[in-house]
Amino acid sequence: MSVTAKRKPGKEEQQFLQGYNIHDYDLPLTSVDLVIFTIRDMSLQVLLVKRGDHPFKGEWALPGGFIDVRHDASLEATALRKLKEKTGVSAPYVEQLQGFGSKDRDPRGWSSTFVYFALISSDDVILQHGGGADDVKWFPLMHNKKLPALAFDHADILDVALLRLRSKVEYTSLPAHLLSKEFTLSELQQVYEIVLGRQLDKSSFRKRIKEGDFLAELAGRQRLGSNRPAQLYALRDGKSPAIFSRLMGN
Amino acid sequence: MSVTAKRKPGKEEQQFLQGYNIHDYDLPLTSVDLVIFTIRDMSLQVLLVKRGDHPFKGEWALPGGFIDVRHDASLEATALRKLKEKTGVSAPYVEQLQGFGSKDRDPRGWSSTFVYFALISSDDVILQHGGGADDVKWFPLMHNKKLPALAFDHADILDVALLRLRSKVEYTSLPAHLLSKEFTLSELQQVYEIVLGRQLDKSSFRKRIKEGDFLAELAGRQRLGSNRPAQLYALRDGKSPAIFSRLMGN
DNA sequence: CCAATAGTGTCTTTTAGACAGTATCGG
DNA sequence: CCGATACTGTCTAAAAGACACTATTGG
């Protein structure tokens, strides 16, 4: 799939382009924001930054920022750059959530944002400040615990991201990206249970996973303990999630 | 869910906003494009416009255009405005597909677009030119028939839209929006078959649909013909699609 | 009565869910 | 041997799929 418009402009169009000045038009502000999820302390957590600049200075917000039209080749490049800046993680699972845009979501004017969500293993993270953030912190997403009020419409965005994550967990292999490279089936089941907020039956869970066929058994590698050792697995195909033909039962 | 940032700026922030000028920054071009699907002549079709302006003048493209920051309240408002301009349809099913953005998808510079897809009944459509379009036409999406080359990266966008539509048809009530208000179960099944490109079993299909519980039987209303008359149905809840717990079988 | 499409019923096969049983480690 | 967790098997109940049968109209 080519992202580029592969063609050379004709003579007439060249003239048009020379007369074209981007600053002659009222453009909306356009940014990229990230909802970064991980599992820590047996709960699903999201990364928030405390804004160091106006507007909403001092308030918590989703990490993100403007597109750098000189250096970013694409929206996803912007998202990955931001992710790297905050977490040090460079090869995560990222997927575009959706765009949000309206005249009053930003006091500076008409604003639109492309929101990505990322699933990363907390093992890989080295939190970093900087880039206009006074603080960076993980916040657990428990049904009882409240988050602080968020800047802009970020609370709404987070809601949508959570809905999307929870719904995709029901029929895809997404949660595997919240674990480190190697993991046991029991660990994977635990992640599913944490995100879904309910217990799953071991036998059916394993049947589903094996059918999904997205895991590779790591021959010889086992997780040891004072019990029967557990087989270690890794994701077979790096990025694209497997899709089950039925939803998770219980 | 509030889309607005409900708060008043503090004194310090007011000063910041006064000194803030949107034109001081290099912003990407931001537009909204539409993939409008309908069923005509027993096939899935998409609406394309022939561009009347540069760039890509004279080439076919998805309908769309820039956000009017003075009149459009939100991205969806822009999408609905464009849809109305081209088709006269004002209350369709619309959903955001995803954003596309890169430095080279538009010869005028860094460009990003929010793409929506709309499902409409061809009965409701009155095609209209204008708004920079030289022509507007429906194109059938058959696996064998080729579309003309499209402007920008619109061919890629259309591919993604088709994938999304086809995948959602497998487990949602979306196709119902491609029919007019009243329809029979056989007509609905036909739409599913057209979009999926395969035959479905009548009995299982009807079981699924009845379970989905998104249709209201229109008491007394029937479609007549030289055969047993068929019960008419309408969508129960206007917009949000029903989601099945399993994929369509065959 | 026939052609045509609507709508239902029944049988078979597959799958899910519950739950108990066996396996294998450290100590 | 015991505690703990990994992993597998079996039974039952429910669902899906195939396919045929009945229903109701116009002509």
Side-chain angles (χ1 to χ4, degrees):
Chain A
M1 203 169 89
S2 70
V3 176
T4 322
K6 304 192 199 75
R7 58 184 261 298
K8 5 186 185 329
K11 194 175 291 174
E12 191 191 353
E13 184 168 343
Q14 275 178 4
Q15 281 173 14
F16 158 80
L17 285 172
Q18 275 164 21
Y20 182 87
N21 183 348
I22 199 174
H23 290 123
D24 293 347
Y25 302 90
D26 271 349
L27 293 169
L29 293 164
T30 305
S31 55
V32 172
D33 291 308
L34 279 160
V35 185
I36 307 170
F37 290 114
T38 198
I39 299 279
R40 278 164 42 105
D41 309 329
M42 301 289 284
S43 76
L44 182 66
Q45 309 214 352
V46 66
L47 192 73
L48 298 178
V49 303
K50 191 177 231 165
R51 290 180 58 83
D53 298 322
H54 287 297
F56 294 96
K57 180 171 180 176
E59 293 185 42
W60 291 95
L62 296 172
F66 293 110
I67 294 162
D68 181 339
V69 298
R70 267 175 280 272
H71 299 108
D72 294 334
S74 66
L75 291 172
E76 189 162 321
T78 309
L80 291 173
R81 175 169 61 78
K82 294 279 164 194
L83 179 70
K84 184 77 188 281
E85 280 174 18
K86 302 295 175 198
T87 67
V89 172
S90 54
Y93 176 80
V94 276
E95 128 176 3
Q96 198 182 303
L97 178 63
Q98 67 168 79
F100 295 79
S102 72
K103 63 180 163 54
D104 45 18
R105 62 179 296 277
D106 187 316
R108 288 166 292 188
W110 221 107
S111 154
S112 61
T113 181
F114 294 90
V115 180
Y116 282 77
F117 83 82
L119 305 181
I120 62 180
S121 162
S122 53
D123 301 351
D124 303 340
V125 174
I126 306 158
L127 287 191
Q128 276 150 340
H129 294 209
D134 280 354
D135 202 358
V136 190
K137 239 168 72 181
W138 290 107
F139 288 80
L141 295 164
M142 316 286 266
H143 290 287
N144 43 358
K145 272 195 194 164
K146 287 258 191 296
L147 288 177
L150 300 187
F152 306 102
D153 53 356
H154 287 188
D156 293 338
I157 294 177
L158 181 53
D159 284 346
V160 174
L162 257 175
L163 268 176
R164 172 88 141 251
L165 175 63
R166 294 219 165 96
S167 100
K168 283 203 135 184
V169 164
E170 297 276 1
Y171 64 95
T172 70
S173 61
L174 275 196
H177 296 276
L178 293 164
L179 291 165
S180 43
K181 308 268 158 310
E182 305 188 342
F183 49 85
T184 68
L185 292 182
S186 299
E187 287 163 357
L188 184 60
Q189 182 174 346
Q190 211 168 69
V191 174
Y192 272 89
E193 291 175 342
I194 288 171
V195 179
L196 289 174
R198 66 172 193 268
Q199 299 294 112
L200 299 174
D201 178 78
K202 179 155 56 166
S203 170
S204 337
F205 179 79
R206 288 161 112 96
K207 262 187 242 166
R208 287 180 72 84
I209 297 299
K210 299 232 159 129
E211 274 164 30
D213 194 42
F214 56 91
L215 293 186
E217 196 173 308
L218 299 173
R221 311 261 315 117
Q222 310 202 119
R223 170 97 66 234
L224 303 173
S226 64
N227 48 30
R228 175 168 173 179
Q231 177 61 50
L232 284 170
Y233 292 82
L235 280 170
R236 188 191 295 285
D237 175 12
K239 284 297 138 52
S240 54
I243 295 178
F244 307 130
S245 62
R246 336 229 151 187
L247 301 182
M248 281 277 154
N250 60 320
Chain B
M1 202 169 90
S2 69
V3 177
T4 323
K6 304 191 199 75
R7 59 186 260 296
K8 6 184 186 324
K11 195 175 292 175
E12 193 192 349
E13 185 170 341
Q14 274 177 5
Q15 280 172 14
F16 158 79
L17 285 172
Q18 274 163 23
Y20 183 88
N21 183 346
I22 198 173
H23 290 124
D24 293 347
Y25 301 89
D26 269 349
L27 294 169
L29 292 166
T30 306
S31 55
V32 171
D33 290 309
L34 279 160
V35 185
I36 306 171
F37 290 114
T38 198
I39 300 278
R40 280 164 43 106
D41 307 330
M42 299 290 286
S43 77
L44 182 66
Q45 311 215 349
V46 66
L47 192 72
L48 298 177
V49 303
K50 191 177 230 164
R51 291 181 57 84
D53 299 322
H54 287 296
F56 294 97
K57 180 169 177 174
E59 292 185 42
W60 291 96
L62 296 171
F66 293 111
I67 295 162
D68 180 341
V69 298
R70 268 176 279 272
H71 299 108
D72 294 333
S74 66
L75 291 172
E76 190 163 319
T78 308
L80 290 173
R81 176 170 61 78
K82 293 281 166 197
L83 179 69
K84 183 76 187 283
E85 281 174 16
K86 302 295 175 201
T87 66
V89 172
S90 53
Y93 177 80
V94 277
E95 127 177 2
Q96 198 182 301
L97 177 65
Q98 68 169 78
F100 296 79
S102 73
K103 62 178 164 54
D104 45 19
R105 63 180 295 278
D106 187 318
R108 288 166 292 187
W110 222 105
S111 153
S112 63
T113 180
F114 295 91
V115 179
Y116 281 78
F117 82 82
L119 305 182
I120 63 180
S121 162
S122 53
D123 301 351
D124 303 342
V125 174
I126 306 159
L127 287 190
Q128 277 149 340
H129 295 208
D134 280 354
D135 202 358
V136 189
K137 239 167 74 180
W138 290 107
F139 288 80
L141 296 163
M142 316 288 266
H143 291 287
N144 41 1
K145 274 197 192 162
K146 286 256 190 299
L147 288 178
L150 300 188
F152 305 104
D153 53 356
H154 287 188
D156 294 338
I157 294 177
L158 182 54
D159 284 346
V160 174
L162 257 175
L163 268 177
R164 172 89 140 251
L165 175 64
R166 294 221 165 94
S167 100
K168 283 204 133 183
V169 165
E170 297 275 0
Y171 63 95
T172 70
S173 61
L174 275 196
H177 295 277
L178 293 165
L179 290 166
S180 42
K181 309 268 157 308
E182 306 188 342
F183 49 86
T184 68
L185 291 181
S186 299
E187 288 163 358
L188 184 60
Q189 181 173 347
Q190 209 167 70
V191 173
Y192 273 89
E193 290 174 343
I194 288 170
V195 179
L196 289 173
R198 67 172 194 268
Q199 299 294 113
L200 300 174
D201 177 78
K202 181 159 54 164
S203 170
S204 339
F205 179 79
R206 289 161 112 96
K207 263 188 240 165
R208 289 179 71 87
I209 297 298
K210 298 233 158 124
E211 273 164 32
D213 194 42
F214 57 92
L215 292 187
E217 198 174 306
L218 299 173
R221 311 260 315 116
Q222 306 200 331
R223 170 97 64 234
L224 304 173
S226 66
N227 49 29
R228 176 168 174 177
Q231 178 62 50
L232 284 169
Y233 292 83
L235 281 170
R236 190 191 294 287
D237 176 10
K239 288 292 139 55
S240 54
I243 295 176
F244 307 130
S245 62
R246 335 230 152 185
L247 301 183
M248 281 279 152
N250 60 318

